[in-house]
């Protein structure tokens, strides 16, 4: 990142709080790295710290939704962005994000946001929240919240941490002056609590003060220091006065808002709080009880690490805090030996130094800045997506994974028949494949079009589908967009006009990768020789989303017997799947049951098209079997097949799942792509639709089970070979995207 970059950090105010401290520490670290941070807010306690660090602050009334303040803020922010030559705008709260989002639409500056907390989405508030072009989330649970509630694609979210300055928060911090200021003596037992004292944050402060008389019985010379200010300060003070009156001394000390939290924490024997304040206390090597309005984690040690990380040390989703829990853990702390106390204190500091440094927080943020400054053009993915077909679901999942493996946060948009479901399922942006206006708008700003995978260039299904895919490709080419056919199958193409159309269009694309040699042969016959062409493998070979144990668990839930071998049948309806075909497959499954103790399970790779033929075959069987009625995910399909003993498949991806899961297979060839795949895998267990009869079917079952171990070994070897070839698809795509050209080895 270039030196001297001007970054605007905008938040509501600079009073005591986790988000405010996060921004202050980030600003100081950015300045140390040669970046020029400029902060806007309504002001507050941390202004002096920014001033001392040489960081400019502008006072802008961003603290509430008052219409007059918002109008004034728009004018001020517009002027600041222009006068300071701001290179990138980074917002840290809902109100500034909303305002800056409106300015971004007009001024076109790079715009990112940070989500420090979860917001209420009711009463239309969801629609006044702008998350910018890229979002930083301070924990994994906030990332999940953003994806679930605001449908932000996963690739547009960078998870970071609340970075802590471990030099500032250190066990070596001098505590002489602060002890004198607060009237603390060397033999006092000191508990420190830090939080904003708004009603939405002050629950534990009040719980702690209420149990001070009980804590006072556990130790001598107790002092409880409560730090913070807010709209509930009056209630907290009233409780403090009441408890101090009962004890006859100033046991509870209210400091109000402070910015020198490192000094306040220094004399503490025990710290209570959440989020950033808790992390700062850990950095200062203090034992910590994590408790807040969101919930209760308790006395922090290694056993509480995962729940701490998962909730960003805010206790979201944990049990509610109450006085009994708080008193229980304080008693536990006082019963601990000095060595045990020191052990948990040292563990906390080591954790902060290794995983929660300011340096890491700045690096995460600068990674987002780099993305925003060098915004990637969109990668459009066109294919048969959004039609609830497992094979195409697998292809899309694999392509997205391939792109992410070769480029951080690729800017992906998928053309889908069901964009809402596609976006939710794959955490990417999706648009309606039939919306011509939207498609044209995205083509205009795209850097590359990926057409694939699957068999898109064919006219067996219909000429209409072929024309659609060729039209999308031509539109991209006319707009100067790089085009890659991504591990496609090709053909059959029977209509002469369609052959000429395909040849003309495909000769203008940049790169073609193919999933089998048969497709390359057909391209050669068509006369497609202008693009770079390579035979790789189906993208689904790159998937690892299967688990045989999980598959067996699914089978158990379906009450599939454990004392039998499992035969998976994945049929599909074609013009040749007549009653004779159905009867033959039924007898084939009965034969496997009677001779090899097999139980037959029918799966529908595309439920609305495959379920009926599955039922037809099932009804003709004499032996027990089952038709799975639900739509399964790709990982569920793969897991079930990997937990089975044989797959009889017409659907290509049922056979690919079998290879990936090392399950022996028999392919029923209704389309040349099945034969092409089986040949590529060097497997001869194929039955042509025209040849299928009882003898051929029985012989195929016998050959598989008669050579079972050899078949599995061959599959393992072939799968490893095709996995490596499939890996090249993503590498080639990103090379084309980033460099504009690619040279393939032949």
């Amino acid at each position: 990142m270039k030196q001297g970059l001007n970054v605007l950090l905008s938040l509501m105010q600079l009073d005591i709080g986790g988000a405010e401290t996060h921004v202050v520490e980030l600003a100081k670290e950015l300045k140390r790295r040669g970046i020029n941070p400029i902060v806007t807010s309504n002001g507050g306690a941390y202004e002096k710290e920014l001033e001392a660090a040489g960081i400019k602050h502008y006072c802008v009334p961003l603290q509430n939704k008052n219409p007059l303040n918002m109008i004034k803020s728009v004018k001020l922010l517009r002027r600041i962005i222009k006068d300071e030559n701001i290179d990138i705008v980074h917002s840290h709260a809902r109100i500034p994000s909303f305002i800056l989002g409106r300015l971004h639409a007009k001024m076109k500056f790079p715009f990112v946001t940070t989500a420090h907390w979860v917001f209420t989405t009711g009463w239309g508030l969801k629609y006044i929240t702008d998350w910018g072009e890229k979002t930083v989330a301070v924990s994994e649970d906030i990332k999940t919240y953003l994806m679930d509630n605001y449908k932000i694609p996963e690739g547009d979210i960078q998870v970071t941490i609340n970075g802590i300055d471990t030099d500032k928060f250190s066990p070596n911090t001098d505590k002489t002056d602060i002890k004198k200021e607060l009237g603390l003596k060397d033999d006092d037992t000191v508990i420190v609590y830090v939080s904003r004292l708004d009603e939405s944050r002050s629950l534990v402060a009040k719980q702690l003060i209420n149990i001070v008389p009980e804590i006072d019985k556990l130790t001598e010379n107790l002092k409880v220091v409560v730090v913070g200010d807010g709209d509930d300060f009056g209630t907290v003070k009233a409780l403090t006065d009441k408890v101090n009156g009962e004890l006859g001394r100033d046991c509870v000390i209210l400091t109000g808002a402070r910015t020198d939290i490192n000094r306040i924490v220094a004399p503490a024997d025990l710290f209570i709080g959440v989020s950033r304040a808790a992390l700062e206390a850990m950095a200062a090597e203090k034992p910590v009880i994590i408790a807040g309005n969101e919930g209760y984690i308790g006395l922090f040690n290694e056993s509480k690490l995962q729940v701490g990380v998962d909730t960003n040390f805010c206790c979201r989703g944990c049990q509610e805090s109450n006085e009994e829990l708080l008193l229980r853990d304080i008693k536990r702390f006082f019963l601990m030996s000095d060595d045990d106390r020191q052990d948990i204190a040292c563990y906390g500091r080591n954790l902060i130094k290794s995983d929660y440094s300011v340096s890491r927080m700045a690096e995460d943020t600068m990674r987002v800045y780099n993305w925003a400054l060098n915004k990637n053009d969109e990668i459009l993915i066109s294919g048969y997506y959004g039609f609830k077909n497992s094979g195409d679901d697998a292809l899309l999942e694999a392509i997205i994974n391939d792109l992410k493996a070769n480029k951080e946060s690729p800017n992906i948009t998928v053309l889908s028949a069901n964009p809402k479901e596609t976006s939710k399922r794959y955490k990417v942006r999706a648009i309606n494949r039939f919306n011509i206006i939207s498609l044209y708008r995205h083509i205009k700003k795209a850097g590359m079009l990926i057409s694939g995978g699957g068999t898109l260039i064919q006219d067996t299904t219909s000429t209409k589908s072929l024309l659609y895919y060729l039209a999308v490709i031509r539109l991209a080419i006319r707009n100067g967009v790089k085009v890659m056919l991504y591990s496609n199958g090709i053909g059959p193409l029977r209509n002469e006009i369609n052959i000429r159309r395909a040849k003309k269009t495909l000769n203008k694309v940049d790169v073609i990768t193919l999933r089998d040699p048969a497709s390359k042969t057909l391209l050669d016959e068509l006369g497609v020789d202008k693009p770079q062409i390579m035979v790789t493998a189906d993208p689904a070979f790159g998937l690892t989303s299967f688990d045989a144990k999980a598959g067996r668990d699914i089978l158990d839930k379906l009450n599939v017997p454990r004392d039998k071998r499992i035969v998976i049948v994945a049929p599909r309806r074609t013009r040749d799947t007549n009653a004779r075909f159905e009867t033959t497959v039924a007898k084939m499954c009965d034969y496997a049951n009677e001779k090899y103790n097999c139980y037959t399970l029918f799966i529908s790779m595309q439920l609305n098209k495959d379920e009926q033929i599955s039922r037809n075959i099932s009804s003709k069987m004499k032996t027990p079997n089952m038709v799975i009625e639900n739509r399964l995910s790709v990982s569920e399909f793969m897991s079930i097949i990997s937990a089975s003993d044989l797959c009889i498949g017409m659907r290509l991806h049922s056979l690919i799942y079998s290879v990936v899961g090392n399950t022996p297979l028999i392919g029923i060839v209704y389309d040349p792509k099945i034969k092409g795949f089986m040949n590529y895998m060097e497997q001869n267990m194929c039955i042509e639709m025209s040849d299928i009869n009882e003898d051929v079917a029985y012989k195929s079952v016998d050959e598989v089970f008669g050579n079972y171990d050899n078949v599995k070994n061959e599959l393992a070897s072939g799968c490893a070979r095709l996995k490596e070839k499939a890996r090249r698809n993503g590498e080639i795509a990103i090379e084309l995207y980033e460099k504009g050209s690619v040279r393939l080895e032949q």
Side-chain angles (χ1 to χ4, degrees), residues 416-428:
S416 171
N418 190 340
K420 185 175 181 180
E421 182 187 55
T422 297
S423 180
K424 181 178 180 181
R425 184 179 288 265
Y426 301 105
K427 313 303 181 190
V428 294

Side-chain angles (χ1 to χ4, degrees), residues 127-365:
Y127 301 102
I128 67 165
T129 307
D130 195 314
W131 292 111
E133 299 169 282
K134 192 84 165 179
T135 304
V136 181
V138 298
S139 65
E140 287 289 344
D141 69 323
I142 290 180
K143 173 184 173 180
T144 301
Y145 160 83
L146 292 172
M147 291 191 297
D148 291 346
N149 289 275
Y150 292 93
K151 310 308 176 189
I152 299 177
E154 185 175 24
D156 287 350
I157 304 173
Q158 167 73 52
V159 177
T160 189
I161 42 87
N162 274 312
I164 309 299
D165 185 338
T166 54
D167 291 327
K168 178 179 177 181
F169 289 90
S170 161
N172 300 320
T173 301
D174 182 55
K175 51 192 171 187
T176 305
D177 290 344
I178 195 67
K179 287 177 68 175
K180 183 177 180 181
E181 179 186 342
L182 298 178
L184 303 177
K185 298 177 181 177
D186 290 342
D187 60 348
D188 284 343
T189 299
V190 181
I191 298 175
V192 173
Y193 171 89
V194 176
S195 176
R196 186 180 297 160
L197 294 181
D198 291 332
E199 189 173 357
S200 61
R201 298 286 179 269
S202 60
L203 174 67
V204 174
K206 292 180 283 192
Q207 291 174 347
L208 174 61
I209 294 168
N210 279 334
I211 62 173
V212 161
E214 293 298 318
I215 304 171
D216 192 50
K217 298 174 185 177
L218 304 175
T219 185
E220 296 182 356
N221 306 318
L222 175 68
K223 290 292 178 69
V224 176
V225 181
V226 176
V227 183
D229 199 356
D231 58 33
D232 205 29
F233 184 84
T235 304
V236 173
K237 187 177 187 308
L239 281 176
T240 297
D241 293 342
K242 176 176 177 291
V243 169
N244 285 343
E246 291 174 0
L247 295 175
R249 71 181 199 281
D250 289 341
C251 182
V252 181
I253 302 168
L254 296 183
T255 72
R258 301 284 294 235
T259 60
D260 56 342
I261 303 302
N262 59 320
R263 295 175 64 241
I264 297 282
V265 168
D269 296 290
L270 175 66
F271 179 89
I272 299 173
V274 291
S275 190
R276 186 181 187 89
L279 298 177
E280 290 171 343
M282 289 182 208
E285 209 169 271
K286 303 298 177 183
V288 171
I289 290 176
I290 303 177
N293 275 57
E294 297 285 315
Y296 189 89
I297 291 176
L299 191 60
F300 185 75
N301 55 31
E302 190 170 5
S303 70
K304 305 290 180 64
L305 175 60
Q306 194 57 55
V307 66
V309 171
D310 289 345
T311 66
N312 194 33
F313 297 88
C314 292
C315 315
R316 279 187 290 273
C318 299
Q319 62 183 322
E320 292 184 6
S321 180
N322 59 57
E323 293 173 11
E324 290 74 20
L325 287 173
L326 201 54
L327 185 59
R328 179 201 68 187
D329 278 348
I330 292 172
K331 285 181 178 178
R332 282 180 55 205
F333 172 75
F334 284 131
L335 290 173
M336 293 171 70
S337 68
D338 289 343
D339 287 344
D340 288 343
R341 293 183 189 180
Q342 188 60 33
D343 284 347
I344 62 172
C346 289
Y347 172 74
R349 178 164 173 80
N350 290 334
L351 173 68
I352 302 305
K353 289 175 71 175
S354 64
D355 294 351
Y356 289 87
S357 68
V358 171
S359 178
R360 179 191 155 186
M361 177 177 74
E363 287 166 5
D364 290 340
T365 304

